[in-house]
Amino acid sequence: MSLIACSLLVAAPALLVLWLWGRPLLAGRWKTPGWFLATAALCAVATVVTWFIGAFPGSSLDAEESCRAAGATYDDAYRSTHWQEPSRWFPLRNKCNATYDLVPAWVNPTLVLLLLLTTTCLGATVWLGIANQRAKTREA
């Protein structure tokens, strides 16, 4: 499958989701618990996708082959000294040598940001839900 076809397969659903997510922003209906819950779910999915990109970097599952494909030298002595790094959950690292990491530099900061956004949106969901319940109680 060509790169353009793969890009379209990813871009079409992503644009649809962004359109459905953004409509309440334009209409002013974003101040509801449901919108924040949906945003938290989108952030959680993006977090999982980003983690998989960082956890399985390179062109293959073999680190030496991925390093060679990336044009980096594979340092077996460095890898044997730092053998625990590729198996950590966070921060994600999979270094070929002391200077070249197969994990893209944007992955770890993006994970932190997405987890922070997910937590914030879940907190806003709970806060708005409680505020709506209190408002209904006062009206009754």
Side-chain angles (χ1 to χ4, degrees):
M1 196 180 269
S2 73
L3 183 62
I4 293 173
C6 287
S7 298
L8 287 175
L9 285 174
V10 171
L15 287 174
L16 177 66
V17 166
L18 285 175
W19 179 72
L20 291 171
W21 174 80
R23 274 185 22 197
L25 284 175
L26 298 174
R29 295 186 321 259
W30 61 273
K31 296 179 184 178
T32 62
W35 186 84
F36 280 100
L37 186 61
T39 303
L42 283 174
C43 289
V45 168
T47 301
V48 170
V49 169
T50 303
W51 187 85
F52 271 100
I53 289 170
F56 302 106
S59 58
S60 77
L61 292 177
D62 180 34
E64 185 173 2
E65 185 179 320
S66 294
C67 291
R68 289 198 185 359
T73 57
Y74 182 81
D75 186 357
D76 197 27
Y78 178 86
R79 295 279 299 188
S80 62
T81 304
H82 298 88
W83 62 273
Q84 290 179 328
E85 281 186 2
S87 63
R88 289 186 185 160
W89 286 82
F90 186 82
L92 295 173
R93 290 190 188 126
N94 197 352
K95 291 189 171 190
C96 297
N97 52 47
T99 59
Y100 189 83
D101 196 352
L102 289 171
V103 177
W106 58 268
V107 168
N108 289 315
T110 303
L111 285 172
V112 171
L113 179 65
L114 286 170
L115 287 171
L116 182 64
L117 283 171
T118 302
T119 305
T120 303
C121 288
L122 286 174
T125 300
V126 171
W127 183 73
L128 286 171
I130 291 170
N132 287 347
Q133 285 294 347
R134 286 184 181 168
K136 286 179 185 177
T137 306
R138 286 182 196 148
E139 289 175 4

